[in-house]
Amino acid sequence: MASLDKHYMSLALRLAKEAYMRQEVPVGAVLVAEGRICGWGSNRRMDGNRILGHAEMIALETASELLGNWRLMRSTLYVTLEPCIMCTGALLQARVDRVVFGCRDPKAGAMRSLFALGEDPRLNHRIKVDEGILAEESAGLLRDFFENLRMSKK
C-alpha cells in the first residue's frame, strides 16, 4: 500500500506543480477507484474566479463524470494539502472511503489540523485518513509559492 500511496501522491504533486506554473496555489489531487485513476485536478480558483476551484472539487467532478455516478464509494483521494471544510464536506457527500494527504493545513485543514470531520462519528459516512505521504515535497512547493508571491508584491 505504501508504494502505491507514494505513486499516486507523486502524480498529485505533479498536478500541484502545474498549478504553480499557472500562478495558482499549488495543490493537486488524484482520485483512484478500483485500481484506476478516475479523477484528477489542480487548483483553478484564479482561472475564472472559481469559488469551488479547489483541486479536490475538480477531481471529484472529473471522477463522477467519468464513472457516471456521484457516489464514489471504494475510492481514495490523494491530495498534496489537507482538505478544507468545503472539500471535506464534498468528500463525505461523495462517499469517498479514504483520503491520503501530503501536508497539514494549520489555517484551514478539516481532517486533522482544525477538525477531524472525515472521522466524526455523528455523520452517516466516515473517511479513513492517512497523512504525511510526500509531505516535505508538498510543503516545500507551497512554501516556495508563497515566498515568491510575497517577493513579487514588494
Side-chain angles (χ1 to χ4, degrees):
M1 184 71 92
S3 65
L4 271 179
D5 287 348
K6 273 191 170 180
H7 169 71
Y8 290 123
M9 187 61 79
S10 70
L11 297 176
L13 199 54
R14 189 178 311 160
L15 290 166
K17 290 175 184 174
E18 289 175 13
Y20 189 116
M21 299 306 291
R22 292 191 317 274
Q23 298 179 345
E24 294 273 359
V25 174
V27 178
V30 172
L31 189 125
V32 177
E34 299 176 15
R36 67 184 180 120
I37 296 171
C38 298
W40 56 91
S42 58
N43 270 4
R44 291 194 171 274
R45 291 184 72 190
M46 304 301 286
D47 179 17
N49 291 316
R50 296 171 62 181
I51 294 168
L52 305 177
H54 288 204
E56 301 94 323
M57 301 296 277
I58 295 167
L60 288 172
E61 282 188 11
T62 305
S64 67
E65 286 175 20
L66 184 71
L67 297 172
N69 197 338
W70 63 267
R71 291 178 190 90
L72 302 174
M73 294 182 249
R74 295 180 301 282
S75 66
T76 299
L77 180 83
Y78 295 87
V79 61
T80 56
L81 180 65
E82 177 183 9
C84 69
I85 294 169
M86 174 182 71
C87 293
T88 301
L91 291 161
L92 285 161
Q93 291 296 314
R95 310 299 194 265
V96 170
D97 284 343
R98 181 173 175 242
V99 170
V100 178
F101 68 84
C103 61
R104 287 190 178 199
D105 184 348
K107 293 182 179 180
M111 294 203 141
R112 288 284 192 266
S113 297
L114 299 178
F115 306 100
L117 293 178
E119 299 164 316
D120 192 318
R122 297 170 295 179
L123 301 174
N124 68 328
H125 178 72
R126 283 171 209 65
I127 300 172
K128 181 177 179 351
V129 179
D130 292 305
E131 66 175 291
I133 306 295
L134 300 182
E136 285 302 314
E137 294 89 335
S138 298
L141 191 60
L142 286 159
R143 198 170 29 253
D144 289 349
F145 176 81
F146 286 110
E147 282 176 11
N148 287 336
L149 188 62
R150 282 189 293 277
M151 294 293 285
S152 69
K153 290 185 177 183
K154 287 185 177 182

